[in-house]
Amino acid sequence: MKALLLANTDWYLYNFRRALARRLQQDGYDLTLVCPPGPYLDRLRDLGFACLPFDLPSNKPSLLQEVKTLLGLIRLYRRERPALVHHFTIRCVLYGSIAARIVGGISVVNALTGMGHVFTADGLQARLLRRIVGFLYHLFLTGAHSRAIFQDHDDLNVFVRSGMTEAAKSHLIPSSGVDCSIFRRPVGRDRPARPVVNVLFASRLIREKGVAEYLEAARLLRGRNVSARFRLAGDIYEQNPSSLSRSELQAIQADGVVDVLGHVDNIRAVLEDTDIVVLPSYREGCPRILVEAAAMGIPLVATDVPGCREVVDHGVNGYLVPPRHATSLAAAIERLATDDRLRRRFGEASRLMAINNFDESIVLEDTLRVYRQLMEAQPQAAYTLA
């Protein structure tokens, strides 16, 4: 059975969906990965995956670009004739669902891995876009040949209540999964009690991730002489209109309140030397960095918002604080930074949560179950199901 995975970056497919692609190949799917060209395409090809480069509009596309993209995707689906496509990220979900409906005979799985900038930003333009995107979701996510996967209860409930999708065709699968056999502390090595603890923020550098609040919390704790080293891993994301600019990132480096690590390819190596992971985001799907940190047995500090609540059990494996509130964020970090036993207890709880809820094997089985249910429900599907 031919299947396509469509994402907005090669980096996303390599880092977040590589295990799914490998499993589909093992189960006999004729699989092709579709995404804009980039440095990770060669890595995916080296792993034996068939890849099709496909350009998507930049963060400020024109109407002509949007139409050309949609028409290009329609042509691609007509040429490839997949039985099933799995779309990731908002633009791919919208374009891909429209293209699949026009071509016909394609079963569609849409991964709604967060509400995205359109649903979290303020302002007249964002409100207008929300109405348009919501209407398109209602038209194209509710078809008989479509299923939606959400990463947290809040997003699923919002989409169902607003009519953007149907409860019977919606599934909850928290996170894209993490390999807990790889993301774990090395055997015999406990995280040491040290005079200066390492605190990490790792994410795309967009404002909704709470970059400003993290920087302010670090500044507050430095003023209190808390023995902590604050690190910032990630790079600007020009495709998102709320991304930090290159000059803003340079100013953060010059300020010296945090150590700027830039883009990190091997986040596991950084997590091995991390005592607390912080994500003060305004809204999430199910943040990968928190799941990976939990698997490594690290205590967490995050905001009390959808997505973060899926991974952080307040007072058990970390603390949840109000969004956009640097003072509360600093207080939670300080409490963990100054209590070795608490960090150890929370870290053990994080590891247990990751094994029970977010292990890659669980997520893959749940995803393939959605595929099977969808294909078996289609009267035209005379395919051998994996």
Side-chain angles (χ1 to χ4, degrees), residues 26 87 142 147 204 218 261 314 316 323 347:
Q26 291 171 352
H87 305 132
T142 55
R147 296 292 185 273
R204 294 172 300 165
L261 306 183
H314 183 74
V316 176

Side-chain angles (χ1 to χ4, degrees), residues 79-227:
R79 183 179 72 246
E80 297 296 319
R81 302 301 303 181
L84 181 143
V85 293
H86 193 159
H87 305 132
F88 305 94
T89 70
I90 182 171
R91 183 166 272 148
C92 295
V93 166
L94 285 175
Y95 289 152
S97 296
I98 295 170
R101 182 77 63 87
I102 291 172
V103 172
I106 301 174
S107 296
V108 176
V109 176
N110 289 313
L112 284 306
T113 55
M115 300 296 284
H117 174 75
V118 169
F119 288 91
T120 57
D122 296 320
L124 180 61
Q125 184 180 18
R127 288 197 296 271
L128 178 61
L129 279 174
R130 274 198 289 274
R131 288 183 177 275
I132 296 171
V133 170
F135 175 71
L136 291 174
Y137 273 155
H138 172 72
L139 282 182
F140 295 101
L141 268 63
T142 55
H145 299 257
S146 178
R147 296 292 185 273
I149 295 176
F150 296 87
Q151 291 193 340
D152 68 76
H153 292 86
D154 297 87
D155 287 353
L156 190 155
N157 291 335
V158 167
F159 270 73
V160 170
R161 284 199 308 267
S162 63
M164 291 188 288
T165 188
E166 301 171 62
K169 297 171 184 173
S170 302
H171 305 265
L172 180 68
I173 304 178
S175 91
S176 54
V178 62
D179 189 340
C180 290
S181 67
I182 294 176
F183 278 82
R184 61 178 300 162
R185 283 187 306 234
V187 176
R189 277 182 53 188
D190 205 356
R191 194 159 277 104
R194 46 189 163 198
V196 179
V197 300
N198 286 327
V199 183
L200 176 69
F201 172 106
S203 175
R204 294 172 300 165
L205 300 184
I206 58 179
R207 302 181 202 286
E208 287 91 345
K209 295 294 183 180
V211 182
E213 288 80 4
Y214 179 68
L215 295 172
E216 181 59 24
R219 192 170 284 109
L220 288 170
L221 294 178
R222 173 174 283 192
R224 297 176 200 165
N225 294 318
V226 174
S227 297

